[in-house]
Structures are given as C-alpha cells and as structure tokens.
C-alpha cells in the first residue's frame, strides 16, 4: 500500500528525498495541466510549475498537514497563478499551440475527436475565470468543494456554485 501524500511530505521534511520523488511523480502531470490551462503559455506554465515545486521544497521542514497535501499544493499553485495574472494586468493570452489528440485507427473518428476536444477547450476557455479554476481544481486536482473553497479563499457555497455553473456550461 502506498503512503499517503501527507506522510510522504513529512518524511521528505525529515530528509527522505525518495518521498519527494514519489510526491512529484504523483502530482506533476495534473499540477502542470492546471497551471498551463490557467496561464495558457507553455513557458510561463513551466516557470510557475517549477516555482510551485520550489516552494514545496523550501517548506519541507515546516510543513504541517492541516489539510490534504493536494489542497496545500494547489493553494501554492493558485497563488502563483494569481500573482502571475496580477503582474500581467489580468490580460488573457490566446493558446498558441494546437492540442494534440491520439490518433485512433479510424480517420473519421480522429476528426470527430479533434472537433470534440476543440469544442470542449473552447467552452472551457469561455468560462469565467473563477468557474474555470473551480472546474480545473476539481477535475485536475481531485479537490473537493471544501478544498476548492480553501484554495481559492472563498466560501463553500461560492465554490460549489462556481463548480456547478462550470459543469452545466460545459455540458451544454
């Protein structure tokens, strides 16, 4: 059985570098996708992603599990993203790369998959920032409504409402 994230972070704080490697492997993909979708520029996302992990490293000796590790990690990432947008004057940047889709054997299905992904990404981009963030924290980070509220500094009802509206708009 794998150790919980909180135990791994505590072990890392005591000097177990392998515990950090496990945490990084568990969360790197989802955290990177969250940051990339929030800032929409690969270079900025990579920098913020690395900054988030540097903050984890810097906080290792004082980490105290008061919530799930993922809640703490995504709070760090959320704050970095907010700071990024403040520095940019909240200017939204267009996605500058096409999204790749795994090619199924049937070319018609490949076209359908690309079109569906394109519609989804367009709908995701069209969401208000707060709703998009709630959706990504839930889907990419696996956070609960209470954890989303904690990460974003809002009440649970606001987080729940943002998530509900985001889901409804994406389904439509």
């Amino acid at each position: 059985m794998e150790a919980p994230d909180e135990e791994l972070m505590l072990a890392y704080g005591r000097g177990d570098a392998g515990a950090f490697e496990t945490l990084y492997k568990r969360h790197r993909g989802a955290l990177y996708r969250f940051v990339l979708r929030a800032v929409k520029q690969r270079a900025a996302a990579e920098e913020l992603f690395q900054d988030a992990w540097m903050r984890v490293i810097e906080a290792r000796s004082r980490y105290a599990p008061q919530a799930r590790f993922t809640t703490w990690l995504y709070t760090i990432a959320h704050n970095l993203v907010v700071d990024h947008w403040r520095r940019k004057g909240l200017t939204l940047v267009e996605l500058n790369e096409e999204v790749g889709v795994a090619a199924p054997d049937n070319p018609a299905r490949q076209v359908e998959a690309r079109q569906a992904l394109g519609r989804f990404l367009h709908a995701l981009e069209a969401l208000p920032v707060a709703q998009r963030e709630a959706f990504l924290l839930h889907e990419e980070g696996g956070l609960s409504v209470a954890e989303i509220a904690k990460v974003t500094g809002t009440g649970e009802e606001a987080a729940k409402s943002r998530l509900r509206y985001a889901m409804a708009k994406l389904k439509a």
Side-chain angles (χ1 to χ4, degrees), residues 63-77:
Y63 173 78
Q66 298 173 351
R68 283 192 332 160
F69 173 80
T70 51
T71 303
W72 180 70
L73 178 62
Y74 280 87
T75 299
I76 292 170

Side-chain angles (χ1 to χ4, degrees), residues 33-41 85 92-97 99 117-133 135-136 166 169-170:
R33 287 187 302 273
F34 169 75
V35 173
L36 179 61
R37 288 181 179 139
V39 299
K40 297 170 194 62
Q41 290 181 310
W85 285 118
L92 294 177
V93 179
E94 295 287 326
L95 282 171
N96 56 9
E97 292 183 7
V99 176
L117 181 59
R119 286 190 306 272
F120 173 77
L121 290 175
H122 181 73
L124 184 64
E125 292 302 312
L127 290 175
V129 173
Q131 291 176 15
R132 182 173 54 239
E133 182 177 46
F135 175 79
L136 292 172
K169 288 177 183 176
L170 290 173

